[in-house]
Amino acid sequence: MNRLSEKGLRVWRLYGIIETVIVLLIGIGVSVITYIFEGPWWIFGVSIAVVTVFAYLFIYLFPKIRWTRWRYEVRDSEIELQHGLFIVKRTLIPMVRVQHVDTTQGPILRKYELAAIMISTAATNHTIPTLVTEEADELRARISVLARVAVDDV
């Protein structure tokens, strides 16, 4: 089984920082409203605790567990994905079911030279996140060829 790029861990932590800033702004808003309307002082402590716990979970803990648990493998007849924080999910995608394969790259992924692969079947879409761009392009081409061969064999 292949692992995701270690740069992906940094990207997920960056996403956690962005989410934490949003939660911090909400906490500041709640604190200001509490101050203006002379609400109870313990709300300030709760706001600080919520932001601190959120920051620890979404900047450090969850990205580390997510990166550690994410695995993928592309075989001739199927693609296997394994991921999950608390509940580990394993997915097998038969090559004959693959309709098309895309790579996506937003501004943050582009900065870290990463890309995500989206594998589309008739029923669902599956994503392999945070692969090195060159590896993602090679994997997309390989899956495309294997899917074409698998359809021709049927």
Side-chain angles (χ1 to χ4, degrees):
M1 299 282 284
N2 301 312
R3 298 185 86 168
L4 299 177
S5 171
E6 197 162 341
K7 292 179 188 177
L9 180 59
R10 284 184 249 151
V11 167
W12 286 336
R13 286 192 171 148
L14 181 59
Y15 290 156
I17 290 170
I18 293 168
E19 293 166 348
T20 300
V21 167
I22 292 169
V23 170
L24 176 65
L25 292 174
I26 292 169
I28 290 171
V30 167
S31 297
V32 166
I33 290 172
T34 302
Y35 179 75
I36 290 172
F37 292 107
E38 298 177 3
W41 287 96
W42 59 267
I43 292 180
F44 294 110
V46 170
S47 295
I48 292 169
V50 166
V51 170
T52 303
V53 169
F54 189 92
Y56 172 74
L57 292 176
F58 286 85
I59 295 173
Y60 178 73
L61 188 62
F62 290 165
K64 179 71 173 170
I65 294 172
R66 185 177 180 192
W67 181 79
T68 305
R69 299 272 176 107
W70 237 109
R71 301 275 188 282
Y72 70 94
E73 187 172 2
V74 178
R75 300 184 197 110
D76 290 342
S77 60
E78 63 194 9
I79 303 165
E80 182 175 358
L81 307 176
Q82 178 179 323
H83 58 91
L85 287 176
F86 303 110
I87 298 172
V88 178
K89 182 178 179 182
R90 292 182 66 200
T91 305
L92 288 174
I93 308 164
M95 283 297 177
V96 294
R97 299 286 184 219
V98 174
Q99 291 183 339
H100 67 275
V101 184
D102 298 322
T103 54
T104 57
Q105 188 180 47
I108 295 175
L109 290 178
R110 192 174 307 117
K111 179 185 182 316
Y112 286 94
E113 298 176 352
L114 298 173
I117 293 181
M118 183 175 289
I119 303 161
S120 299
T121 64
T124 60
N125 292 324
H126 304 278
T127 303
I128 303 174
T130 67
L131 295 172
V132 175
T133 305
E134 296 80 27
E135 181 183 352
D137 291 339
E138 291 170 7
L139 195 58
R140 183 191 68 218
R142 180 171 177 231
I143 291 171
S144 176
V145 167
L146 290 172
R148 199 171 311 126
V149 169
V151 170
D152 290 344
D153 288 345
V154 172

